Amino acid sequence: MTVAQEPTALNFECETGNYHTFCPISCVAWLYQKIEDSFFLVIGTKTCGYFLQNAMGVMIFAEPRYAMAELEEGDISAQLNDYEELKRLCEQIKRDRNPSVIVWIGTCTTEIIKMDLEGLAPKLEGEIGIPIVVARANGLDYAFTQGEDTVLAAMANRCPSQVPVTENEKNERNAIQKLLNFGKKKEEVVQEESEYVDHPPLVLFGSLPDPVVTQLTLELKKQGIKVSGWLPAKRFTELPVLEEGYYVAGVNPFLSRTATTLMRRRKCKLIGAPFPIGPDGTRAWIEKICSVFGITPKGLEEREAQIWAGLEDYVKLIRGKSVFFMGDNLLEVSLARFLVRCGMTVHEVGIPYMDKRYQAAELAMLEKACLEMGVPLPKIVEKPDNYNQVQRIYDLQPDLVITGMAHANPLEARGINTKWSVEFTFAQIHGFTNARDILELVTRPLRRNNNLKDLGWDKLVKEEAKI
Amino acid sequence: MKLAYWMYAGPAHIGTLRIASSFKNVHAIMHAPLGDDYFNVMRSMLSRERDFTPVTASVVDRNVLARGSQEKVVDNITRKDAEEHPDLIVLTPTCTSSILQEDLHNFVERAQIEAKCDVMLADVNHYRVNELQAGDRTLYQIVQFYIEKARRKGELPTSKTENPSVNIIGISTLGFHNNHDCTELKRLMADLGIEVNAVIPEGASVHELKNLPRAWFNLVPYRELGLMAANYLQAEFGTPYVDITPMGVVETARCIRKIQQIINEQGANVDYEEYINEQTLYVSQAAWFSRSIDCQNLTGKKAVVFGDSTHAAAITKILSREMGIHVVWAGTYCKYDADWFREQVSEYCDEILITEDHGAIGDAIARVEPSAIFGTQMERHVGKRLDIPCGVIAAPIHVQNFPIGYKPFLGYEGTNQITDLIYNSFTLGMEDHLLEIFGGHDTKEVITKGISAESDLNWTKDGLAELNKIPGFVRGKVKRNTEKFARDRGIKDISAEVLYAAKEAVGA
């Protein structure tokens, strides 16, 4: 390692792709909870089922609205008729759960045996009367959070293309919507229009927990920006209207297919912004949206400063420390950028897949953050090789490694602090309000080890004999 | 196609990986798409392994679909050989690679030319065998491979050990309490004056395998893992094996008597009756427990049992034969071994259930309404829903079933552990029941609440809605913090915005 020549631009590399990550079918775990009237049917083998069963832990016992359509030898060799089999299972699901949508998750096996799910779905949909959305979230093509991307891209095609009733019947439309939204909060409908600036409709995409949706919506409301809809909504029946010319903005870095679909298929305009992760990201995200609508942002600078002030007790724990992202969920660039702003040095940003166009604003912001904070630019390693990474970790001895569970315990046993990366996917990390939660996660191993540091229990494996 | 939410036994490759990673210095390479290496997470989390799990994937992606793996698998094998210097690399097919029908044998042969280590292909069919069968088969395959290799090189030892000795076959990683069982078996063997020649696969080196024929006999404690290897060793070298699981007082005695018979036939002159008697009556507390008033209270209580063949059969016998408990039905998910299970438990329960469908099990439990369930984690959850206590006796299991403390199920200490498990399940149920009859511990109406939930502040509708989204166990704290925040700032109406402003301010 030579520190002499510090790179002046981000350095992109691509390794072998031998890395550990979750299978993208794991997206059913959070999507079935987010979309309350959905049912996810994963069409795959025992391997898929075993993964979901173990990865979802206790959730499995809560009668989840997901199931496996487990393929048997007869399905593989086409002795059984795919259509008839799927029909039988979907009718059973309809009978037992009566969902508003069934999402078929295609897997590696359905790819290899070329089961035409996209072709079968419309036919079966007509027959059983429930929408069937097909998402090919398989391990041949995608990693972990990209599963959500494939589902949302498929859902984007199901969004209504125009407001149901014409404009001049506004009052009546409200009445109808009230009926349609029976049981939903009324406030949204009677929201004072005057609080908002006049701007073209904006739809946000990305699945977030409801409290975070509220927080980000309120954050934009402060700038007079109205969020017309959210992909996905709480229910499949409430998917937002997408007309040609609507503006869309992503809230997560792994949604590039959804963004592409919204632009190309739905003719929406994508606002390319950094993602609202960390106070710096949230401010940049809002500023970019404001600038597109010609709005001068109000009070954002003070708000960011105020959040940072509130984070100081955590930031001082990590300032000057170094971090290594092994990479498995595509949140890595945004998190790295935020941690650089917290005063950390980032050695390496491993990432499964890097869409330089969709993440352009985020990458630029990372570069800028490094320059302004006076720290070296990290190496961005796409499709990393975990074995090589572990060797680099031994060399660099970073203060923190953000990694999957497969490596966390072995690294801890060797005296290296780790944070389990999957937690960032399930914790609330978006917006000003949740910046503290990110640091709560990042500092946890450091705080824990501060508590234990005088015990001399750092290295808990016997020194391997050098060969 | 079949609709499934839950499976008892995992896919075949999990069995193979469990065997491979139990051995020392054996590496497994899975021919699998990205994300199929979830085994590493399980091993690292459940058994809290300090070392990296020696399993990597040769990733199947679009390019592999289009052109075949070509050099990729061979490269991955030779690379791992150079990096880690394993003794053996096991190429492991997955469900995906089964349908690709690539010639993995050919890859193995090619890799063998370059690699210094041995390379073998796990011979398991994904659509025909499950985790347990695959594990049994892979262990047999590895044993056979190294016996053959030693034979070719003329390195096979010809003589038995001087003193009676045993191979313990079937202890593996991610096995239910396997580590503790192994310690207990070694202790038992030491008590009996029997040398442990080898323990496989857990912690063994493949180089030790050629010494397996030196043992006087093989002990296969679990029905699911090790029988194929034991049969092979019997066919090749005439080594007899004992497949009586020493679980429970009676079965442990049976196992020891069988060992006595086998080694006496080979010229030892041992009599273990005194030992069995001493252990049964005075060392293990289980026999005494059966006689005690505690156990008397359990007489005729209803229980159901479900698990793998080994544990479900053994626990059924213990409940029925050693404690006088009424086992209404006993079942296993090891469908492939149903006959053996039937034969084992038929006289100890009213009904036998062989199924892999957790829904059917749940219904059968609900129908019977037992006082206690002994099953897997799935049955524990059924029990939770039906308010019936459950003792976990078999995989599938969670991290809490990998206790750090010493908790064997086998041998004489195992009988103590099982007694605790059974008795605690029942008394908990009894206590619950009594509470219900008398209407709870504390039946007096609560007059004043310690923590005031009321306040002078007004929560708006959206504020309240947001508050209700916060998980119950922290809601009270968030509510108090928010109200304090609002009071400090003279805010009267608490809306969602105020709630989040408070969170930002205090980190509530």
Side-chain angles (χ1 to χ4, degrees), chain B residues 409-435:
Chain B
F409 269 61
L410 300 185
Y412 285 110
E413 177 54 26
T415 62
N416 293 337
Q417 297 293 336
I418 293 171
T419 302
D420 279 343
L421 180 77
I422 292 174
Y423 184 62
N424 291 345
S425 302
F426 276 108
T427 36
L428 287 176
M430 183 102 105
E431 192 179 341
D432 247 22
H433 192 56
L434 285 175
L435 285 177

Side-chain angles (χ1 to χ4, degrees), chain A residues 23-28 40-43 103-120 133-155 257, chain B residues 62 65:
Chain A
C23 174
I25 60 172
S26 55
C27 69
V28 307
F40 284 77
L41 184 67
V42 182
I43 304 161
V103 183
W104 286 354
I105 303 287
T107 61
C108 303
T109 312
T110 57
E111 287 298 309
I112 295 170
I113 63 173
K114 298 196 168 48
M115 195 185 279
D116 181 21
L117 297 177
E118 275 95 346
L120 297 175
V133 172
V134 180
R136 301 177 175 199
N138 61 67
L140 294 169
D141 300 305
Y142 304 110
F144 196 10
T145 49
Q146 287 180 292
E148 174 181 324
D149 193 21
T150 62
V151 174
L152 295 189
M155 291 246 174
R257 278 175 70 89
Chain B
R62 282 280 156 194
L65 285 199

Side-chain angles (χ1 to χ4, degrees), chain B residues 123-137:
Chain B
D123 175 25
V124 290
N125 179 327
H126 245 81
Y127 294 91
R128 305 228 169 126
V129 297
N130 68 18
E131 169 187 351
L132 304 170
Q133 294 161 292
D136 197 19
R137 188 169 188 86

Side-chain angles (χ1 to χ4, degrees), chain A residues 70-80, chain B residues 1 125 127-128:
Chain A
E70 196 183 310
L71 300 170
E72 290 163 300
E73 205 163 8
D75 297 301
I76 305 298
S77 52
Q79 284 163 342
L80 296 168
Chain B
M1 262 180 234
N125 179 327
Y127 294 91
R128 305 228 169 126

Side-chain angles (χ1 to χ4, degrees), chain B residues 125-285:
Chain B
N125 179 327
H126 245 81
Y127 294 91
R128 305 228 169 126
V129 297
N130 68 18
E131 169 187 351
L132 304 170
Q133 294 161 292
D136 197 19
R137 188 169 188 86
T138 304
L139 181 60
Y140 152 72
Q141 223 192 322
I142 294 177
V143 167
Q144 185 200 34
F145 183 91
Y146 281 97
I147 295 285
E148 295 287 326
K149 187 176 170 181
R151 183 174 281 149
R152 275 198 310 277
K153 287 184 163 180
E155 286 174 353
L156 218 48
T158 47
S159 62
K160 300 275 176 202
T161 54
E162 197 175 324
N163 299 314
S165 64
V166 61
N167 298 319
I168 300 173
I169 300 180
I171 307 289
S172 78
T173 191
L174 290 177
F176 183 70
H177 293 241
N178 269 21
N179 282 340
H180 307 305
D181 283 350
C182 182
T183 308
E184 188 61 22
L185 287 179
K186 284 180 180 166
R187 186 179 290 175
L188 179 63
M189 292 305 130
D191 283 354
L192 299 179
I194 295 171
E195 287 171 15
V196 176
N197 185 55
V199 177
I200 61 167
E202 183 66 46
S205 154
V206 288
H207 301 308
E208 296 168 27
L209 294 177
K210 63 171 183 284
N211 293 325
L212 290 178
R214 298 201 59 187
W216 288 32
F217 72 104
N218 293 317
L219 176 60
V220 185
Y222 310 115
R223 177 78 192 163
E224 291 78 18
L225 182 57
L227 273 182
M228 277 184 85
N231 275 315
Y232 167 77
L233 292 169
Q234 186 174 41
E236 288 291 312
F237 307 102
T239 316
Y241 65 83
V242 176
D243 63 349
I244 300 167
T245 304
M247 197 184 306
V249 179
V250 178
E251 292 296 293
T252 303
R254 230 166 51 90
C255 178
I256 294 172
R257 290 196 182 103
K258 181 78 185 169
I259 291 172
Q260 171 181 307
Q261 179 204 336
I262 275 180
I263 60 175
N264 280 346
E265 278 166 9
Q266 295 177 60
N269 186 17
V270 293
D271 181 3
Y272 293 139
E273 287 306 328
E274 184 53 31
Y275 175 78
I276 294 171
N277 200 41
E278 174 78 11
Q279 291 286 326
T280 303
L281 297 182
Y282 308 112
V283 179
S284 159
Q285 299 294 315

Side-chain angles (χ1 to χ4, degrees), chain A residues 18 45 53 68 70 73 75-76 85 88 111 141 214-215 303 385 405 409 414 433-434 460, chain B residues 1-2 4 7 37 44-45 50-51 57 62 79 95-96 99 128 381 385 466 500 503-504:
Chain A
N18 269 321
T45 60
Q53 173 173 324
M68 291 291 309
E70 196 183 310
E73 205 163 8
D75 297 301
I76 305 298
E85 292 294 300
R88 187 170 55 81
E111 287 298 309
D141 300 305
T214 312
Q215 288 158 14
R303 185 137 167 72
D385 185 295
M405 209 31 137
N409 269 339
R414 285 158 182 77
T433 319
N434 297 311
L460 293 161
Chain B
M1 262 180 234
K2 112 183 152 192
M7 64 185 78
D37 57 352
S44 177
M45 282 179 76
R50 300 178 195 213
D51 285 316
R62 282 280 156 194
R79 176 185 161 186
C95 59
T96 309
I99 39 178
R128 305 228 169 126
H381 282 266
R385 212 175 292 167
E466 285 307 301
Y500 291 127
K503 185 184 177 196
E504 285 158 25

